[in-house]
Each structure stands twice: as C-alpha cells, then as structure tokens.
Amino acid sequence: MKRYSAFAIAREAMRQHTGWDRAWAKREPKMKYDVIIVGAGGHGLATAYYLGKNFGITNVAILEKGWLGGGNTGRNTTIIRSNYLQDPSAAIYEKARSLYETMSQDLNYNVMFSPRGVIMLAQTQHEIRGYQRTAQANALQGVKTEWIGPQRVKELCPIMNIDGPRYPVLGGLYQERGGTARHDAVAWGYARACSDMGMDVIQKCEVTGVRQENGKVVGVDTSKGPIDCDKLGMVVAGHASVLAQKAGFRLPIESVALQALVSEPIKPCMDVVVMANTVHGYMSQSDKGEMVIGGGTDGFNNYTQRGSFHHIEETVRALVETFPMISRLKMLRQWGGIVDVTGDRSPILSKTPVEGVFVNCGWGTGGFKAIPGSGWAMAELMAKGQSPLTDEFSMYRFREGKFIDESVAAGVAH
Amino acid sequence: MLILHCPYCGVDADETDLHAGGQAHLKREGPGSSDEDFEDYLFLRANPKGVHFERWRHVYGCGKWFHAARCTATLQVFGTYPAQTLEPPQDIKDKIADARPGWSWGDKE
Ligand SMILES: Cc1cc2nc3c(=O)[nH]c(=O)nc-3n(C[C@H](O)[C@H](O)[C@H](O)COP(=O)(O)OP(=O)(O)OC[C@H]3O[C@@H](n4cnc5c(N)ncnc54)[C@H](O)[C@@H]3O)c2cc1C
Ligand SMILES: [Zn+2]
C-alpha cells in the first residue's frame, strides 16, 4: 500500500495523478477463511481490522450484499460522543471516541474527525435532572463532560433562541471532545487497511444461509456460492434478525426506519453539534455548509430504507423554534436507514446459540460513534472468546434482567 | 403515509392517527412460565423482512387496539382485523398466500 501524504500529493501532481493505487482490492471469495464477517459497514470492517491488527488473524473475508458502507454507516449524521449513563456504555463508547482521535493517523486515511463539541439541550426540568446525573456519572467514569447553563449554550451556539416559548433552553450537557467525522472515509479507511493486511472485502455477496454441523458453524451460503469458515461474525445492523433467523435463533431486535436530511449549503454559522431530545431533533453544519438534521424513528417495523414524511415535518418544525434562522432554508435531500433497536437501547456484542457464531448489532440509532470501540471489542471477543468491553452486552442479558438502560442517553436518534 | 383501516370504527386512519404496538399474536406468559418463556414473550421478536402481523392502536380515533398484516419490505397492507383472535382471518391468509407463493400461516416467523 502506498502511503497517503503531502509528499504523495505533490508527486502525483507532477505526473497528472496517474500513480494512485486502488484504495482496496476488489476480490472474489476463496474456498475457506478463518473468519468471515458479514456486513461491510463500519462495525464489520472495524472488527476485521482489529482481528488483524490486535490478534494477527488476517485470513478474513468481509462479505457485503450491497456496497462498502452502503448501509447505515453511509447514511448517518456522524455525531460522535460518549456521554452515556451506564458504566459498560461509557467504557465502550469512550474507547471508541478516543480511538477516533487518532484514527486518521492509524489508518493513514483522513476521516476528518472534528471534535467540535456536542451539546445536548435540556428543555424540561426532567432533562435538567437527567443530564446533571449523567454529568456526575461521566465524572466518575472518567469521561469528560460538563453541565452548562443557558448563557454558556448561547455563547457556544449564538444562532440558537434560548427563550423559545414552548421549550426554552434551560442548560445542556456539553462534551467538548465530541463531534463528527466523515462516515464514508471511516468505511473506506478500514477497508483499505484490511485489504492491505491481505483480507478480502467482497461486495455484492449476500449471505443466504449459515451452515452448521453439530451446533457449530462451518461456513455460509452466499450469492457467490458456499464459503467455509471457522468463525462467523454477523454485523448487519438492520438485518440482524433476518440473518439470525437463517442461523436458527431470534434476537431482541426490531428494525425501524430512521431519517435524516440536509439543507442547501450556507455560510458557516454553527461550529458545535446540538441535540434537542425533547423536541426530537438535532443539527450540525457540514464542511460543505449544509445543515445536517436528524430526527426520530418511525414506530413500526420497516425494511424499506424510506421513512414517513411527517417525521421530517415534525423534526424541522421543532428545530425552527430553537433555531429560527433555519426557517427559510431549503432542504435538499432526505434519506433513511434501517436501524436495529433493542429494548434497553444498548447494543448486543455476544456469543450466540451456534458455536463459532458471534453477533454485533443493536446499535440502533447511534452506532456510528461506536465503530472503532465496537470493532476493537468484537475482535477480542471473536479471537479470545471473551472481552471486558463486551461482557455486559450479551444477547442473554434480557433473559437475566441485566439491562443496560440507555433510553435517556439515547433519548433521541443520533 | 401509511393508511390502515380501523376494523372497529371503520375509518381509514392515517399513520399520524395511529400508534404502532409491535408484533401481534404473542403468547402471553404467566406464573409458572420459565425465564426462557418470559424472554420470548417480552423481548424476542420475529422482526421479519416480509409479512408481519402487528398490533396498532387507533389513538386519535376510537382508541382501540386492532391487528394488521403488512409487509415490512414493500409496505403493502394485506388487511386489518379485530384483536380478539389468536390468528388472522382466512381471507387475509388467502390474500397473503396468493401474493407470496409458498407462504403459510404456520411459518409466520
Ligand atoms: C439517518 C441516520 C442517522 C444516524 N445518525 C447517527 C449519528 O449521528 N451518530 C451515531 O453514532 N450513529 C448514527 N446512526 C446510527 C449508525 O448509522 C449505525 O448505528 C451504524 O452505522 C451501524 O453500523 P453497522 O456497521 O453496524 O451497520 P451498517 O453500516 O448498516 O452495515 C451493515 C451491512 O450489512 C450488510 N448486510 C446485511 N445483510 C447482509 C447479508 N445477508 N449478507 C451480506 N451483507 C449483509 C448491509 O448491506 C450493510 O452494508 C444513524 C443512523 C441513521 C439511519
Ligand atoms: Zn377506530
């Protein structure tokens, strides 16, 4: 792999950019791999990357039914933060956030991590108490967040109207090192690094069956024929239940549509990410100048990657009260992704009833921020059979009543 | 916008008048059931990409719960029916079987 650098740009500029290599190799599947990962979204790719980097396991294929990063990884609003309430969440989300800090250097791929700060607005008394509690919990967990008053919110984000008639801004939970990153670059950066370690990233290869012998996985059936493997990682987000069903078990997951939209590009006006959970909307400004807006999920099971229009209307209507200046903006594009929601709004990183099959799903509306930490933990779980970061996220926690309740921290979809 | 016919009051209700209540025809567990049974009842869901039997409430209408047979991959609605039943009515089953060859009520999961 040729390294990307300022020198490389200068060199290529001298020769009409004829010397750039493909970022990652397009391959056809081999007969057998040590590990197969299903799903080339961020979580699947990061799992493969850390299997290679941390455990030297490189006979790995990542099978993707569509295209690289074409699932939720390429559809999200890229908010990164780790201000969750429960200890197991703080551990894995903060691991992820801290890995984002150095991801561009680690991968030699510019993922444009921008720790511009994230404010979660408190607009009700209930939220004030909830976020103050989270700030205290975060202090104990070693996650740097703080409770800030309305004036400080206004200083950080002057375009906000903090005296809104319905939901005035009463303060906020502020994480200074939260922010955003370029989602496609995260997928491509990992794919390039995996490919460089000799792994195969295979697109248009749908897994249609999980082959087992005596309760142990031996391979998968795919649209490109059967492929053998010793271990299988299912990392398919919204399709987790569909794939689990093929392997013969059920998950505590429901798949619903989550939407986002962007406005026409405007001059820089907002250099933090703001989330307003009570009114169900959040916003940041992209480097291109578009206001990136996300809202809530539809209530019903859905696999169409389209959402209901009234959610877009509700989201924008709610945000206009807090950000009056967006009332005249034209919205350019809207899209949806199918997110995998669990009962306690926490993910599943777990062994399964089938030996050798591991599942990573349930990140729901908020897993982009977790990609590197999740990959790190999942790789350890798959390589060693156990990881301190995944212990609490077993798929059996529901039976045992050991929920990791993040319905407040994840109150809004993000 | 999703539009479902409320089998009680007869209104074709917009999605915004309704509240989705998840998978229908769950077996309700009680005292004496095992932890696994409760897990199944409370948390595990079929979540199919295809025909889904689900509960809906006509919240901004008559307020009653009813059932719908709907495809989660196409959003096609096969029909709605009152909730006081253990399985969908025959005409809805027939309609689904016509549209999805190979489908039968037993393998609803
Ligand atoms: C609109 C929207 C906004 C969001 N905003 C945020 C945010 O601001 N911050 C945040 O942290 N998170 C956010 N999220 C959530 C985040 O996008 C997801 O949690 C995360 O991207 C999940 O990554 P993944 O790798 O698990 O799944 P995906 O990226 O969906 O990858 C799964 C892949 O598996 C493939 N697949 C499925 N079935 C098969 C099969 N049988 N065989 C082969 N391949 C298969 C799919 O094609 C897909 O590419 C948002 C999501 C949406 C939809
Ligand atoms: Zn009614």
Side-chain angles (χ1 to χ4, degrees), chain A residues 125-244:
Chain A
Q125 291 299 323
H126 176 81
E127 277 183 309
I128 295 182
R129 284 197 295 273
Y131 289 146
Q132 286 181 344
R133 179 181 174 207
T134 304
Q136 311 266 5
N138 290 162
L140 293 170
Q141 292 150 347
V143 176
K144 196 168 172 292
T145 65
E146 60 183 305
W147 167 258
I148 56 175
Q151 284 313 319
R152 178 93 175 103
V153 172
K154 180 81 183 166
E155 270 166 44
L156 287 165
C157 187
I159 64 168
M160 205 185 295
N161 170 21
I162 59 170
D163 307 313
R166 211 162 42 124
Y167 291 114
V169 174
L170 307 172
L173 178 65
Y174 179 48
Q175 183 167 26
E176 206 181 348
R177 297 297 291 177
T180 59
R182 174 89 193 130
H183 48 15
D184 302 314
V186 172
W188 276 66
Y190 277 128
R192 176 166 169 265
C194 289
S195 182
D196 186 49
M197 287 189 276
M199 300 181 183
D200 293 348
V201 181
I202 301 162
Q203 301 187 116
K204 294 188 192 156
C205 181
E206 177 169 4
V207 173
T208 53
V210 177
R211 285 186 294 119
Q212 309 170 27
E213 274 169 23
N214 307 321
K216 189 182 177 318
V217 66
V218 293
V220 290
D221 295 318
T222 77
S223 51
K224 292 182 187 265
I227 311 173
D228 293 345
C229 68
D230 294 333
K231 286 183 186 171
L232 182 68
M234 299 180 169
V235 198
V236 295
H239 281 75
S241 303
V242 177
L243 196 57

Side-chain angles (χ1 to χ4, degrees), chain A residues 341-382:
Chain A
V341 181
T342 59
D344 60 0
R345 299 294 183 275
S346 286
I348 292 170
L349 295 98
S350 180
K351 293 184 179 174
T352 69
V354 183
E355 199 187 328
V357 175
F358 299 81
V359 64
N360 179 342
C361 64
W363 293 99
T365 58
F368 176 72
K369 61 177 73 64
I371 284 172
S374 157
W376 180 288
M378 182 74 177
E380 186 170 28
L381 177 66
M382 291 189 72

Side-chain angles (χ1 to χ4, degrees), chain B residues 44-98:
Chain B
L44 301 186
R45 293 294 176 261
N47 194 22
K49 184 175 186 172
V51 183
H52 189 228
F53 297 90
E54 53 195 16
R55 303 167 71 231
W56 285 87
R57 185 170 174 233
H58 193 186
V59 264
Y60 298 117
C62 66
K64 290 187 180 156
W65 285 98
F66 63 90
H67 286 171
R70 190 179 58 88
C71 177
T72 62
T74 62
L75 302 189
Q76 180 183 0
V77 177
F78 293 102
T80 55
Y81 50 100
Q84 292 74 19
T85 168
L86 293 178
E87 37 179 279
Q90 193 58 42
D91 61 320
I92 290 182
K93 288 193 217 164
D94 291 346
K95 212 166 155 187
I96 299 169
D98 280 350

